[in-house]
Amino acid sequence: QVHLAESGGGWVQAGGSLRLSCVASGGTYRDYTTAWFRQTPGKQREFVAGNRWSGDSTYGESVKGRFTISRENAPNWVYLYLNILKPEETDVYYCATGSLIWPSFREEEYTDWGQGTQVTVSS
């Protein structure tokens, strides 16, 4: 089983940027679809962005053009660049991997999850 650990969350003003990182141990992302989800307490996790070994990427409609998912030639690291952040995007952001499906938008398609990192966007 792959162990995932996210970092890079924090506080930012509306319109600002953050970079989230996710590192895998006990395995790699190499053969799987890897994604970022986010969740507000009491709500279902929302797909944010996904990436697969070939370099293809896909994004949720609300983040297209503002967020970028990248592996940057580092097989055990996946990054999420968040730009022009909005207050309503205050959430816990999770990294997930293990899906053999492309594209893969549903959380049940992923087998391994990190503990999440909090992003807070103030207005």
Side-chain angles (χ1 to χ4, degrees), residues 8 12 18 21 33 36 43 50 61 67 69 77 80 83 90 94 100 103 109 120 123:
V12 64
L18 284 173
S21 303
T33 298
W36 289 90
K43 294 188 177 181
E61 283 298 321
F67 290 12
I69 187 171
W77 287 88
L80 184 68
N83 296 309
T90 293
Y94 296 90
L100 296 174
E109 293 168 348
T120 302
S123 58

Side-chain angles (χ1 to χ4, degrees), residues 92-113:
V92 178
Y93 285 70
Y94 296 90
C95 177
T97 193
S99 174
L100 296 174
I101 300 168
W102 179 260
S104 182
F105 303 117
R106 298 165 57 192
E107 59 177 302
E108 55 266 34
E109 293 168 348
Y110 294 84
T111 57
D112 301 290
W113 291 82

Side-chain angles (χ1 to χ4, degrees), residues 12-86:
V12 64
Q13 287 189 318
S17 300
L18 284 173
R19 186 186 78 164
L20 306 183
S21 303
C22 181
V23 61
S25 58
T28 74
Y29 303 116
R30 193 182 306 274
D31 298 323
Y32 303 108
T33 298
T34 299
W36 289 90
F37 286 75
R38 62 189 178 189
Q39 188 173 30
T40 300
K43 294 188 177 181
Q44 202 164 11
R45 283 180 185 172
E46 176 192 6
F47 175 84
V48 175
N51 177 277
R52 65 172 175 171
W53 59 270
S54 63
D56 297 328
S57 297
T58 187
Y59 298 91
E61 283 298 321
S62 65
V63 307
K64 282 183 180 177
R66 296 186 298 118
F67 290 12
T68 302
I69 187 171
S70 173
R71 298 193 190 196
E72 297 183 7
N73 297 319
N76 286 359
W77 287 88
V78 173
Y79 302 95
L80 184 68
Y81 294 85
L82 297 74
N83 296 309
I84 318 176
L85 280 160
K86 305 174 183 179

